[in-house]
Amino acid sequence: MSAVTLRGVEPGAPDAVVTALEPSLDEETRAWLRELKGEGRTRDAAIERLRELLLRGARFEVFRRRASMPYLRGEELDDIAMEAADDALLSVLRRLDDFRGLSRFTTWAYKFALYEAAVKLRKRAWQGREIPLEPETWNMFATRGPTPDVEAEQAALLEAVRTGIDEALTPHQRRILLALTVEGVPIDVLADRLGSTRGALYKTLHDARRKLRAHLADGGHALDEWLEES
């Protein structure tokens, strides 16, 4: 992947970030930043080396998690790793100005590969699986209720939570809260299905939890653990 054209990263841009951080950076990190912010063949070669590093990281993460996805063959796992490495490469290059030198550059960049690989595996695991998002499906929460031997106080709290979900939340907040906290849908998978973003869904989840906590507090109920911020 050479001679890449990237948004947000101008070849030959002033090396202000490197200059500001240089006293605290190791030599290898300084070299990475200078070359990636350089021009021509130097930059292309650095990008190619970076992609190789990220591919190793993505492959490590994909094959580390392969036991949980036994239905994927080796070549499918490698395809996922290569896609993750490409996306991680774009993310690293777009965020070069965010690097603050708190770790080696390779350590910082490597985390992008691990993250992208994990995201793609989660999406692959949910591929073809239906995510219940219709308003009426929220009543499935009732099936998570107490058994007959649970104390009356816990039963009352559960009923208050169910009522709060129904009355205090908007249909959209209800869908997001239940999908993420009850169904266990990964947030990046849900964002992809809804054509939204992780940030937007986190905001919706935060607002839903806040409204539900207020509803329970108004009723004099303690807060259940699953309402706490993660």
Side-chain angles (χ1 to χ4, degrees):
M1 186 174 180
S2 60
V4 182
T5 300
L6 298 151
R7 293 174 298 172
V9 182
E10 293 296 331
D15 205 7
V17 174
V18 182
T19 301
L21 295 175
E22 194 160 6
S24 64
L25 301 181
D26 61 276
E27 182 58 37
E28 181 186 23
T29 294
R30 288 198 296 269
W32 272 111
L33 292 175
R34 286 200 184 98
E35 291 174 14
L36 289 171
K37 286 175 164 289
E39 296 178 301
R41 293 180 180 178
T42 297
R43 183 171 185 266
D44 291 344
I47 288 174
E48 187 60 37
R49 293 200 314 275
L50 177 58
R51 185 181 184 278
E52 290 173 1
L53 171 74
L54 297 174
L55 182 56
R56 288 197 297 272
R59 280 176 171 154
F60 169 82
E61 186 67 8
V62 165
F63 284 89
R64 184 180 73 84
R65 294 170 177 255
R66 68 182 305 175
S68 64
M69 304 181 74
Y71 48 87
L72 289 180
R73 295 173 297 177
E75 61 186 40
E76 292 177 292
L77 292 170
D78 203 50
D79 286 343
I80 291 173
M82 287 191 287
E83 185 180 350
D86 287 341
D87 287 351
L89 175 64
L90 294 175
S91 293
V92 169
L93 293 170
R94 278 198 300 264
R95 292 172 172 79
L96 280 180
D97 288 347
D98 294 335
F99 179 67
R100 293 293 175 261
L102 301 180
S103 65
R104 295 170 67 91
F105 175 78
T106 50
T107 301
W108 178 76
Y110 200 81
K111 294 177 182 179
F112 285 84
L114 301 183
Y115 169 77
E116 291 292 348
V119 166
K120 293 188 187 315
L121 285 172
R122 286 195 295 269
K123 289 182 178 180
R124 181 64 178 79
W126 280 81
Q127 185 175 315
R129 293 175 61 180
E130 181 180 357
I131 298 176
L133 293 173
E134 295 303 318
E136 60 269 17
T137 64
W138 83 270
N139 284 317
M140 48 76 66
F141 183 69
T143 65
R144 309 298 174 96
T147 55
D149 59 343
V150 175
E151 296 179 356
E153 181 179 353
Q154 292 175 301
L157 174 59
L158 176 64
E159 183 59 30
V161 170
R162 293 180 62 243
T163 300
I165 290 173
D166 190 31
E167 297 179 357
L169 306 185
T170 67
H172 179 65
Q173 289 172 335
R174 192 157 57 235
R175 295 183 190 108
I176 301 308
L177 178 72
L178 293 174
L180 295 177
T181 63
V182 179
E183 286 289 345
V185 181
I187 194 165
D188 36 49
V189 173
L190 188 59
D192 188 58
R193 294 285 182 92
L194 297 178
S196 185
T197 65
R198 290 167 56 90
L201 294 188
Y202 274 129
K203 176 65 166 58
T204 299
L205 180 62
H206 172 78
D207 291 345
R209 282 171 162 163
R210 176 176 51 79
K211 290 170 71 173
L212 192 49
R213 282 196 294 267
H215 176 87
L216 292 175
D218 288 345
H221 295 283
L223 302 181
D224 211 355
E225 289 183 0
W226 73 278
L227 286 179
E228 295 301 316
E229 297 290 349
S230 56

